Amino acid sequence: MNRIDLKRLVGYRDDFALWSAEQAALIRAGRLDRVDLENVAEEIESLGRSEQYQIDSRMEVLLQHLLKWQFQPGRRTNSWKASIFEQRMRIARVIKGSPSLRDYPAETLAGSFVIGRNQAITETGLPEAAFPQACPYTIEQILDPDFLPG
């Protein structure tokens, strides 16, 4: 990492890595008068959004593979099963680290299903009509490590 010179601070947009290190050093030194409060606050908020994005992304992949598992039984693979398991475990890990997000997968299920369904349609080559318009699984089934449809 670069040397931090708290006398001459770098701008937020000039070198994000160095700016981050400088801001952390300022906070640790109790020099709150020199902290770039607006950008630090924005970055802290973005950390929470990244946790939500990770759940969204994993739910989309999970739903895609659950649909493929159900609607292409003759093509089931261990990689689909492994992906289903991995997505569930990674969602659980995020929620364990941020318990306030426990209800988030249920709250965003409809949007995650639309994306997962579209990915399943694209990857399977099955017609759109082969897949349900609304999610056929409960949130409990989706996150249940032992649930596989069909």
Side-chain angles (χ1 to χ4, degrees):
M1 181 114 247
N2 295 329
R3 289 226 143 144
I4 297 174
D5 178 2
L6 295 181
K7 294 176 189 152
R8 207 178 98 226
L9 300 175
V10 70
Y12 174 76
R13 296 200 191 315
D14 298 328
D15 185 334
F16 182 75
L18 181 56
W19 173 87
S20 298
E22 289 173 347
Q23 297 304 304
L26 287 169
I27 291 168
R28 286 187 182 101
R31 298 292 314 270
L32 301 181
D33 60 313
R34 300 207 50 218
V35 172
D36 181 355
L37 292 175
E38 185 59 35
N39 285 317
V40 169
E42 187 175 316
E43 289 305 317
I44 291 171
E45 285 175 342
S46 76
L47 293 172
R49 287 190 303 271
S50 71
E51 296 288 283
Q52 291 174 329
Y53 175 76
Q54 185 172 169
I55 290 174
D56 290 338
S57 178
R58 298 210 176 270
M59 283 288 291
E60 293 157 8
V61 173
L62 174 55
L63 288 161
Q64 169 194 359
H65 285 208
L66 288 171
L67 289 168
K68 288 166 61 175
W69 187 272
Q70 181 174 356
F71 293 98
Q72 281 196 312
R75 295 190 173 202
R76 291 178 180 163
T77 66
N78 285 334
S79 69
W80 289 355
K81 193 173 186 177
S83 176
I84 290 168
F85 178 79
E86 177 185 355
Q87 304 316 313
R88 287 173 170 155
M89 293 304 105
R90 292 189 185 272
I91 291 167
R93 185 184 292 171
V94 170
I95 291 170
K96 183 178 181 184
S98 297
S100 65
L101 295 177
R102 184 170 319 283
D103 295 332
Y104 186 76
E107 293 167 3
T108 60
L109 176 56
S112 294
F113 181 74
V114 168
I115 293 172
R117 179 180 182 266
N118 285 336
Q119 291 170 329
I121 291 166
T122 300
E123 287 194 10
T124 64
L126 293 173
E128 202 173 307
F131 295 96
Q133 289 289 323
C135 186
Y137 322 115
T138 66
I139 194 66
E140 293 79 18
Q141 289 172 318
I142 293 165
L143 298 176
D144 180 347
D146 297 320
F147 172 76
L148 287 172

